[in-house]
């Protein structure tokens, strides 16, 4: 279930209440006239089954409530109510399959913003991965994958393509490209420093690396894993199962490939640089294509499911 907290202008409250009452899957409607002060208006509270949430939120936006008042949505972890149980049964489809498009757009918009924190995380992840490739340490590679925040902009691109929002697409693309460019440049400088103090060497980079050699060896499995990770990551976002994102993060070699390319470039190993860059682009492309197709499939099947009696 979802909990909605709405601030409505007094002259629109009746319309909002009629919309809520006419939406299948709603419960616990509360109207507090004049309770809101900023903006001034009435406070309307209700619960809605996740399956019906997107329809209700879209209706509220068509009434202009996002401009004249406020729409706040939060997940309910526990609801002990027969009325809530009945509302979930009445709503068409399954809550786990429902996509809250407004929530997805808002989440990806925030995650795909180019900020100091985003650049810091992707840079730190790339530096950790640089240590991993030089030391041939798989644990450091896995840690770097988990720290990397690059799935946010990738999900933003997928969402923007499906919802036809060019501004979100550009924002996500800029965050992705600038983030990786800054991370690789700073990691190259980090590598120069580590070489100067005797912790990195070209011999370590070019030695046999049984644990991390796959990073600069792109093949069909790289694309297959990227596609599967893109599907899993998209499903984890749309179904609110964010815990699965950690598994997605450590299954693709985006950050490690960027790190390997940066270190190899410092040592003039153009072959490793080129193959690592190919691995990076292959993973990014696979995730975007798979994520976009997953969202389109969810949109199609959910529409078909809602049409069933």
């Amino acid at each position: 279930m979802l909990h909605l907290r709405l601030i409505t202008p007094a002259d629109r409250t009746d319309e909002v209440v009629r919309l809520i009452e006419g939406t299948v899957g709603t419960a616990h409607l509360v109207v507090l006239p004049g309770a809101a002060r900023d903006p001034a208006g009435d406070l309307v509270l209700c619960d809605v089954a996740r399956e019906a949430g997107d329809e209700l939120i879209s209706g509220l936006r068509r009434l202009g409530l996002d401009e004249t008042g406020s729409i706040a949505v939060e997940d309910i972890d526990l609801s002990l109510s027969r009325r809530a149980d009945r509302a979930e049964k009445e709503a068409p489809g399954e809550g786990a399959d429902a996509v809250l498009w407004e929530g997805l757009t808002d989440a990806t918009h925030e995650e795909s913003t180019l900020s100091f924190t985003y650049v810091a995380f992707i840079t730190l992840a790339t530096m950790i991965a640089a240590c991993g490739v030089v030391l041939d340490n798989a644990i450091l590679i896995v840690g770097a994958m988990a720290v990397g925040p690059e799935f946010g902009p990738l999900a933003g691109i997928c969402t923007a393509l499906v919802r036809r929002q060019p501004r979100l697409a550009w924002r996500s693309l800029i965050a992705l490209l600038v983030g990786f460019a800054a991370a690789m440049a700073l990691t190259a400088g980090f590598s120069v420093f580590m070489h100067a103090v005797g912790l990195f060497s070209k011999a370590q980079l070019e030695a046999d690396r049984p644990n991390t050699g796959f990073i600069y060896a792109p093949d069909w499995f790289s694309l297959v894993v990227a596609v599967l990770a893109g599907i899993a990551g998209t499903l984890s976002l749309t179904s609110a199962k964010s815990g699965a994102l950690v598994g997605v993060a450590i299954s693709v070699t985006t950050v490690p490939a960027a790190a390997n390319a940066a270190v190899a470039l410092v040592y003039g190993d153009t072959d490793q640089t080129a193959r690592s860059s190919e691995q990076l682009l292959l993973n990014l492309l696979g995730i975007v294509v798979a994520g976009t197709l997953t969202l389109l499939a969810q949109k199609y099947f959910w529409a078909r499911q809602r049409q069933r009696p």
Side-chain angles (χ1 to χ4, degrees), residues 152-213:
L154 291 171
I157 293 173
C158 298
T159 303
L161 291 175
V162 173
R163 303 210 71 189
R164 299 178 182 178
Q165 296 180 326
R167 292 184 64 181
L168 177 59
W170 278 113
R171 174 189 291 266
S172 302
L173 185 61
I174 289 172
L176 190 68
L177 296 179
V178 174
F180 268 113
M184 293 174 72
L186 291 171
T187 299
F190 172 73
S191 300
V192 171
F193 169 77
M194 294 293 279
H195 177 79
V197 297
L199 295 177
F200 279 11
S201 70
K202 186 175 183 180
Q204 289 175 297
L205 180 71
E206 297 183 343
D208 290 336
R209 288 159 47 193
N211 295 319
T212 59

Coordinates of all heavy atoms in Angstrom, one line a residue, residues 152-213:
G152 N 22.5 4.8 -11.6 CA 21.5 5.9 -11.6 C 21.3 6.6 -12.9 O 20.2 6.7 -13.4
P153 N 22.4 7.1 -13.5 CA 22.2 7.8 -14.8 C 21.8 6.8 -15.9 O 21.0 7.2 -16.8 CB 23.6 8.3 -15.1 CG 24.2 8.5 -13.7 CD 23.7 7.4 -12.9
L154 N 22.2 5.6 -15.8 CA 21.8 4.6 -16.8 C 20.3 4.4 -16.7 O 19.6 4.3 -17.8 CB 22.6 3.3 -16.6 CG 24.1 3.3 -16.9 CD1 24.7 2.0 -16.5 CD2 24.3 3.5 -18.4
A155 N 19.8 4.2 -15.5 CA 18.3 4.1 -15.3 C 17.6 5.3 -15.8 O 16.5 5.3 -16.3 CB 18.0 3.8 -13.9
G156 N 18.2 6.5 -15.6 CA 17.6 7.7 -16.0 C 17.5 7.8 -17.5 O 16.5 8.3 -18.1
I157 N 18.5 7.3 -18.2 CA 18.4 7.3 -19.7 C 17.3 6.4 -20.2 O 16.5 6.7 -21.1 CB 19.8 6.9 -20.3 CG1 20.9 7.9 -20.0 CG2 19.7 6.6 -21.8 CD1 22.3 7.5 -20.4
C158 N 17.2 5.2 -19.6 CA 16.2 4.2 -19.9 C 14.8 4.8 -19.7 O 13.9 4.8 -20.6 CB 16.3 3.0 -19.1 SG 17.9 2.1 -19.4
T159 N 14.6 5.4 -18.5 CA 13.3 6.0 -18.2 C 13.0 7.2 -19.1 O 11.8 7.3 -19.6 CB 13.3 6.6 -16.7 OG1 13.6 5.5 -15.9 CG2 12.0 7.1 -16.4
A160 N 14.0 8.0 -19.5 CA 13.7 9.1 -20.3 C 13.3 8.7 -21.7 O 12.5 9.3 -22.4 CB 15.0 10.0 -20.4
L161 N 14.0 7.6 -22.2 CA 13.6 7.1 -23.6 C 12.2 6.6 -23.6 O 11.5 6.8 -24.6 CB 14.6 6.0 -23.9 CG 16.1 6.4 -24.2 CD1 17.0 5.2 -24.5 CD2 16.1 7.4 -25.4
V162 N 11.8 5.8 -22.6 CA 10.4 5.3 -22.5 C 9.4 6.4 -22.4 O 8.3 6.3 -23.0 CB 10.3 4.2 -21.4 CG1 8.9 3.7 -21.3 CG2 11.2 3.0 -21.7
R163 N 9.7 7.3 -21.5 CA 8.7 8.4 -21.2 C 8.8 9.6 -22.1 O 8.1 10.6 -22.0 CB 8.8 8.8 -19.8 CG 8.6 7.7 -18.8 CD 8.0 8.2 -17.5 NE 6.6 8.6 -17.6 CZ 5.9 9.2 -16.7 NH1 6.5 9.6 -15.6 NH2 4.7 9.5 -16.9
R164 N 9.8 9.5 -23.0 CA 10.0 10.6 -24.0 C 10.3 12.0 -23.3 O 9.6 12.9 -23.5 CB 8.9 10.7 -25.0 CG 8.7 9.4 -25.8 CD 7.5 9.5 -26.7 NE 7.3 8.3 -27.4 CZ 6.2 8.1 -28.3 NH1 5.4 9.1 -28.5 NH2 6.1 6.9 -28.9
Q165 N 11.3 12.0 -22.4 CA 11.6 13.2 -21.7 C 13.1 13.5 -22.0 O 14.0 13.1 -21.3 CB 11.5 12.9 -20.2 CG 10.0 12.7 -19.8 CD 9.9 12.4 -18.3 OE1 10.8 11.9 -17.6 NE2 8.8 12.9 -17.7
P166 N 13.3 14.3 -23.1 CA 14.7 14.6 -23.5 C 15.5 15.3 -22.5 O 16.7 15.1 -22.4 CB 14.4 15.5 -24.7 CG 13.0 16.0 -24.6 CD 12.3 14.9 -23.9
R167 N 14.9 16.1 -21.6 CA 15.7 16.8 -20.6 C 16.3 15.9 -19.6 O 17.5 16.0 -19.2 CB 14.8 17.8 -19.8 CG 14.4 19.0 -20.7 CD 13.6 20.0 -19.9 NE 14.4 20.7 -18.9 CZ 14.0 21.6 -18.1 NH1 12.7 22.0 -18.1 NH2 14.8 22.1 -17.2
L168 N 15.5 14.8 -19.2 CA 16.0 13.8 -18.3 C 17.1 13.0 -19.0 O 18.1 12.6 -18.4 CB 14.9 12.9 -17.8 CG 15.3 11.7 -16.9 CD1 16.0 12.2 -15.6 CD2 14.1 10.9 -16.5
A169 N 16.9 12.7 -20.3 CA 17.9 12.0 -21.0 C 19.2 12.7 -21.1 O 20.3 12.1 -20.8 CB 17.4 11.7 -22.4
W170 N 19.2 14.0 -21.4 CA 20.4 14.8 -21.5 C 21.1 14.9 -20.1 O 22.3 14.8 -20.0 CB 20.1 16.2 -22.0 CG 20.1 16.2 -23.5 CD1 19.0 16.5 -24.3 CD2 21.1 16.0 -24.4 NE1 19.2 16.4 -25.6 CE2 20.6 16.1 -25.7 CE3 22.5 15.6 -24.3 CZ2 21.3 15.9 -26.9 CZ3 23.2 15.5 -25.4 CH2 22.7 15.6 -26.7
R171 N 20.3 15.1 -19.1 CA 20.8 15.2 -17.7 C 21.6 13.9 -17.3 O 22.7 14.0 -16.8 CB 19.7 15.5 -16.7 CG 20.1 15.5 -15.2 CD 18.9 15.6 -14.3 NE 18.3 16.8 -14.4 CZ 18.5 17.9 -13.6 NH1 19.4 17.7 -12.6 NH2 17.9 19.0 -13.7
S172 N 20.9 12.8 -17.6 CA 21.5 11.5 -17.3 C 22.8 11.3 -18.1 O 23.8 10.8 -17.6 CB 20.5 10.4 -17.5 OG 19.3 10.6 -16.8
L173 N 22.7 11.6 -19.4 CA 23.9 11.4 -20.3 C 25.1 12.2 -19.8 O 26.2 11.7 -19.8 CB 23.5 11.6 -21.7 CG 24.6 11.3 -22.8 CD1 24.9 9.9 -22.7 CD2 24.1 11.7 -24.2
I174 N 24.8 13.5 -19.5 CA 25.9 14.4 -19.0 C 26.5 13.8 -17.7 O 27.7 13.8 -17.6 CB 25.3 15.8 -18.9 CG1 25.0 16.4 -20.2 CG2 26.3 16.7 -18.1 CD1 24.3 17.7 -20.2
A175 N 25.6 13.4 -16.8 CA 26.1 12.9 -15.5 C 27.0 11.6 -15.8 O 28.1 11.5 -15.2 CB 25.0 12.5 -14.6
L176 N 26.6 10.8 -16.7 CA 27.3 9.6 -17.0 C 28.7 9.9 -17.6 O 29.7 9.4 -17.2 CB 26.5 8.7 -17.9 CG 27.0 7.3 -18.1 CD1 26.9 6.4 -16.9 CD2 26.2 6.6 -19.3
L177 N 28.7 10.7 -18.7 CA 29.9 11.0 -19.4 C 30.9 11.8 -18.6 O 32.1 11.5 -18.5 CB 29.6 11.7 -20.7 CG 28.7 10.9 -21.7 CD1 28.5 11.7 -23.0 CD2 29.5 9.6 -22.1
V178 N 30.4 12.9 -18.0 CA 31.2 13.7 -17.2 C 31.8 13.0 -16.0 O 32.9 13.1 -15.6 CB 30.5 15.0 -16.7 CG1 31.4 15.9 -15.8 CG2 30.1 15.9 -18.0
G179 N 30.9 12.2 -15.3 CA 31.3 11.4 -14.2 C 32.4 10.5 -14.5 O 33.5 10.4 -13.8
F180 N 32.3 9.7 -15.6 CA 33.4 8.7 -15.9 C 34.6 9.5 -16.4 O 35.7 9.0 -16.1 CB 32.9 7.8 -17.0 CG 32.3 6.5 -16.5 CD1 30.9 6.3 -16.6 CD2 33.1 5.6 -15.8 CE1 30.4 5.1 -16.1 CE2 32.5 4.4 -15.3 CZ 31.2 4.2 -15.5
A181 N 34.5 10.6 -17.1 CA 35.6 11.3 -17.6 C 36.4 11.9 -16.4 O 37.7 11.8 -16.3 CB 35.2 12.5 -18.5
A182 N 35.7 12.5 -15.4 CA 36.4 13.0 -14.3 C 37.0 11.9 -13.4 O 38.2 12.0 -13.0 CB 35.4 13.8 -13.4
A183 N 36.3 10.8 -13.3 CA 36.9 9.7 -12.5 C 38.1 9.1 -13.1 O 39.1 8.8 -12.4 CB 35.8 8.6 -12.3
M184 N 38.1 8.9 -14.4 CA 39.3 8.4 -15.1 C 40.5 9.3 -15.1 O 41.6 8.9 -14.9 CB 38.9 8.0 -16.5 CG 37.9 6.9 -16.6 SD 37.3 6.5 -18.3 CE 38.8 5.8 -19.0
A185 N 40.2 10.6 -15.2 CA 41.3 11.6 -15.2 C 41.9 11.7 -13.8 O 43.1 11.7 -13.7 CB 40.7 13.0 -15.6
L186 N 41.1 11.7 -12.8 CA 41.6 11.7 -11.4 C 42.3 10.4 -11.0 O 43.3 10.4 -10.3 CB 40.4 12.0 -10.4 CG 39.9 13.4 -10.5 CD1 38.6 13.6 -9.6 CD2 40.9 14.5 -10.1
T187 N 41.8 9.3 -11.6 CA 42.4 8.0 -11.3 C 43.8 7.9 -12.0 O 44.7 7.3 -11.5 CB 41.5 6.9 -11.8 OG1 40.3 6.9 -11.0 CG2 42.2 5.5 -11.5
A188 N 43.9 8.5 -13.2 CA 45.2 8.6 -13.8 C 46.2 9.4 -13.0 O 47.3 9.0 -12.8 CB 45.0 9.3 -15.2
G189 N 45.7 10.5 -12.4 CA 46.6 11.3 -11.5 C 47.0 10.5 -10.3 O 48.1 10.5 -9.8
F190 N 46.0 9.7 -9.8 CA 46.2 8.9 -8.6 C 47.2 7.8 -8.9 O 48.1 7.5 -8.1 CB 44.9 8.2 -8.2 CG 45.0 7.2 -7.1 CD1 45.2 7.5 -5.8 CD2 44.8 5.9 -7.5 CE1 45.3 6.5 -4.8 CE2 44.8 4.9 -6.5 CZ 45.1 5.2 -5.2
S191 N 47.2 7.3 -10.1 CA 48.1 6.2 -10.6 C 49.5 6.8 -10.7 O 50.5 6.1 -10.3 CB 47.7 5.6 -11.9 OG 46.4 5.1 -11.8
V192 N 49.7 8.0 -11.2 CA 51.0 8.6 -11.2 C 51.6 8.8 -9.8 O 52.8 8.5 -9.6 CB 50.9 10.0 -11.9 CG1 52.2 10.8 -11.8 CG2 50.5 9.8 -13.4
F193 N 50.7 9.2 -8.9 CA 51.2 9.4 -7.5 C 51.6 8.0 -6.9 O 52.7 7.9 -6.3 CB 50.1 10.0 -6.7 CG 50.4 10.0 -5.2 CD1 51.3 10.9 -4.6 CD2 49.7 9.0 -4.4 CE1 51.5 10.8 -3.2 CE2 50.0 9.0 -3.0 CZ 50.9 9.9 -2.4
M194 N 50.8 7.0 -7.1 CA 51.1 5.7 -6.6 C 52.4 5.1 -7.2 O 53.1 4.4 -6.5 CB 49.9 4.7 -6.8 CG 48.6 5.1 -6.1 SD 48.8 4.9 -4.3 CE 48.5 3.2 -4.1
H195 N 52.6 5.4 -8.5 CA 53.8 5.0 -9.1 C 55.0 5.7 -8.5 O 56.1 5.1 -8.3 CB 53.8 5.2 -10.6 CG 55.1 4.9 -11.3 ND1 55.4 3.6 -11.7 CD2 56.1 5.7 -11.8 CE1 56.6 3.6 -12.3 NE2 57.0 4.8 -12.4
A196 N 54.9 7.0 -8.2 CA 56.0 7.8 -7.7 C 56.4 7.3 -6.3 O 57.6 7.4 -5.9 CB 55.5 9.3 -7.6
V197 N 55.4 6.8 -5.5 CA 55.8 6.3 -4.2 C 56.1 4.8 -4.2 O 56.3 4.2 -3.1 CB 54.6 6.6 -3.2 CG1 54.4 8.1 -3.0 CG2 53.3 5.9 -3.6
G198 N 56.1 4.2 -5.4 CA 56.5 2.8 -5.5 C 55.5 1.8 -5.2 O 55.8 0.6 -5.0
L199 N 54.2 2.2 -5.3 CA 53.1 1.2 -5.0 C 52.5 0.6 -6.3 O 51.9 -0.4 -6.2 CB 52.0 1.9 -4.1 CG 52.5 2.3 -2.7 CD1 51.3 3.0 -2.0 CD2 52.9 1.1 -1.9
F200 N 52.6 1.4 -7.4 CA 52.1 0.9 -8.7 C 53.4 0.7 -9.6 O 54.3 1.5 -9.5 CB 51.2 1.9 -9.3 CG 49.8 1.8 -8.8 CD1 49.4 1.1 -7.7 CD2 48.8 2.5 -9.5 CE1 48.1 1.1 -7.2 CE2 47.4 2.5 -9.1 CZ 47.1 1.8 -7.9
S201 N 53.3 -0.3 -10.5 CA 54.3 -0.4 -11.5 C 53.7 -1.0 -12.7 O 52.7 -1.7 -12.7 CB 55.4 -1.4 -10.9 OG 55.0 -2.7 -10.9
K202 N 54.4 -0.7 -13.9 CA 54.0 -1.3 -15.1 C 54.0 -2.8 -15.2 O 53.2 -3.5 -15.8 CB 54.8 -0.7 -16.3 CG 54.3 -1.0 -17.7 CD 55.1 -0.3 -18.7 CE 54.5 -0.6 -20.1 NZ 55.2 0.1 -21.2
A203 N 55.0 -3.3 -14.5 CA 55.2 -4.8 -14.4 C 54.0 -5.5 -13.8 O 53.5 -6.5 -14.3 CB 56.4 -5.2 -13.7
Q204 N 53.4 -4.8 -12.8 CA 52.2 -5.4 -12.1 C 51.0 -5.4 -13.1 O 50.2 -6.3 -13.1 CB 51.9 -4.6 -10.9 CG 52.8 -4.8 -9.7 CD 52.5 -3.9 -8.5 OE1 52.6 -2.7 -8.7 NE2 52.1 -4.5 -7.4
L205 N 50.9 -4.3 -13.8 CA 49.8 -4.1 -14.7 C 49.8 -5.1 -15.8 O 48.8 -5.7 -16.2 CB 49.7 -2.7 -15.3 CG 48.6 -2.4 -16.3 CD1 47.3 -2.3 -15.6 CD2 48.9 -1.1 -17.0
E206 N 51.0 -5.4 -16.4 CA 51.2 -6.3 -17.5 C 51.5 -7.7 -17.2 O 51.6 -8.5 -18.1 CB 52.2 -5.7 -18.5 CG 51.9 -4.3 -19.0 CD 52.9 -3.8 -20.0 OE1 54.0 -4.3 -20.0 OE2 52.6 -2.8 -20.7
A207 N 51.5 -8.0 -15.9 CA 51.8 -9.4 -15.5 C 50.5 -10.2 -15.7 O 49.4 -9.7 -16.0 CB 52.2 -9.4 -14.0
D208 N 50.6 -11.5 -15.6 CA 49.5 -12.4 -15.7 C 48.5 -12.1 -14.5 O 48.9 -12.0 -13.3 CB 49.9 -13.9 -15.5 CG 50.6 -14.4 -16.8 OD1 50.4 -13.8 -17.9 OD2 51.4 -15.3 -16.7
R209 N 47.3 -11.8 -14.9 CA 46.3 -11.4 -13.9 C 45.1 -12.4 -13.9 O 44.1 -12.0 -14.5 CB 45.9 -10.0 -14.1 CG 47.0 -9.0 -13.7 CD 46.8 -7.6 -14.3 NE 45.4 -7.1 -14.3 CZ 45.0 -6.1 -15.0 NH1 45.8 -5.5 -15.8 NH2 43.7 -5.7 -14.9
P210 N 45.2 -13.5 -13.3 CA 44.1 -14.5 -13.4 C 42.8 -14.0 -12.8 O 41.7 -14.5 -13.2 CB 44.6 -15.7 -12.7 CG 45.7 -15.2 -11.8 CD 46.3 -14.0 -12.6
N211 N 42.9 -13.2 -11.8 CA 41.6 -12.7 -11.1 C 41.0 -11.5 -11.8 O 39.8 -11.3 -11.6 CB 42.0 -12.4 -9.7 CG 42.4 -13.6 -8.9 OD1 41.8 -14.7 -9.0 ND2 43.4 -13.4 -8.0
T212 N 41.7 -10.7 -12.5 CA 41.2 -9.5 -13.0 C 41.4 -9.3 -14.5 O 41.1 -8.2 -15.1 CB 41.7 -8.2 -12.3 OG1 43.2 -8.2 -12.4 CG2 41.4 -8.3 -10.8
G213 N 42.0 -10.3 -15.2 CA 42.3 -10.2 -16.6 C 41.0 -10.0 -17.5 O 41.1 -9.5 -18.6

